[in-house]
Amino acid sequence: ANEVSREITLNEWGQVSCSDFYYITSQGDKDVPSVLFRLPAGVSNETYVSVKDEYGSLEGNLFLENETTRLYNLTFREALKKDKSVKFTITYQLPWEKYVSQYGWSDFSLNAVLFENYNWTIRKLSVRVSLPEGAEYQNCSVRPDSLQKSVFQETLTFVFYNVTPFQSLTL
């Protein structure tokens, strides 16, 4: 993967929305008609998953690998040929109660695994977390590369380079 960007948006109504942008290049000798992605735990069959590229919607199937792991089989418009690249975005919802813990009346904690059980190298991985309106960032297990504050919202950005499956990507 040349680049992967995940945007996690927490809103004040208790929803966690995610968009994953992928920019990948085929290195194999055979044409690749589709790719299998592991979605974060908690994505269910009832969750609407959409995939779009620069031309519109792409086809795919969501299915269960085991009790907690959902896979999404994305079919490309054309088979991806050696040294050719493709860009697309996968959008889905995650359950608030699985990823956000509440401590007291006004303290919340986001517990997210950025990527799990993947088997490729990501040259550049960026993760952007938009907090609910009125929420204020206090601390994190990983230092954010940037913290943007607007009148009503704070957004944290984390950037990692040359990420491999051997690294722990917990936030």
Side-chain angles (χ1 to χ4, degrees):
N2 302 329
E3 183 177 350
V4 177
S5 297
R6 175 167 285 171
E7 290 190 24
I8 303 171
T9 303
L10 295 95
N11 68 28
E12 52 276 6
W13 298 288
Q15 297 172 323
V16 181
S17 302
C18 291
S19 289
D20 296 343
F21 166 79
Y22 290 88
Y23 171 34
I24 60 175
T25 302
S26 175
Q27 300 294 322
D29 292 329
K30 295 183 179 181
D31 292 356
V32 180
S34 64
V35 175
L36 200 59
F37 291 93
R38 245 178 250 292
L39 295 179
V43 172
S44 69
N45 282 336
E46 294 78 38
T47 301
Y48 178 71
V49 177
S50 86
V51 184
K52 294 181 179 181
D53 66 5
E54 57 197 44
Y55 303 108
S57 296
L58 293 171
E59 296 294 319
N61 298 36
L62 181 67
F63 60 95
L64 185 64
E65 181 182 53
N66 58 42
E67 289 183 19
T68 59
T69 304
R70 294 285 177 189
L71 298 176
Y72 191 83
N73 189 27
L74 170 64
T75 303
F76 296 121
R77 275 181 211 289
E78 310 180 350
L80 193 57
K81 299 182 184 316
K82 182 177 173 90
D83 296 327
K84 296 297 179 187
S85 299
V86 65
K87 296 177 183 180
F88 55 91
T89 302
I90 302 175
T91 305
Y92 51 90
Q93 301 284 322
L94 293 174
W96 179 274
E97 44 298 325
K98 180 163 183 59
Y99 290 95
V100 179
S101 302
Q102 184 171 356
Y103 304 98
W105 185 76
S106 63
D107 290 328
F108 295 85
S109 176
L110 171 66
N111 303 301
V113 174
L114 305 180
F115 281 88
E116 58 186 347
N117 300 322
Y118 64 98
N119 58 357
W120 43 3
T121 298
I122 302 170
R123 298 289 171 227
K124 179 182 179 185
L125 170 64
S126 59
V127 179
R128 191 174 150 180
V129 180
S130 296
L131 300 178
E133 186 175 311
E136 183 178 297
Y137 165 74
Q138 292 182 357
N139 62 44
C140 186
S141 60
V142 178
R143 185 172 177 227
D145 290 285
S146 73
L147 173 62
Q148 297 174 323
K149 295 182 179 189
S150 68
V151 177
F152 298 110
Q153 189 174 36
E154 292 187 2
T155 302
L156 296 90
T157 303
F158 304 87
V159 181
F160 308 93
Y161 294 95
N162 297 317
V163 177
T164 68
F166 305 108
Q167 291 173 271
S168 172
L169 294 176
T170 303
L171 173 67

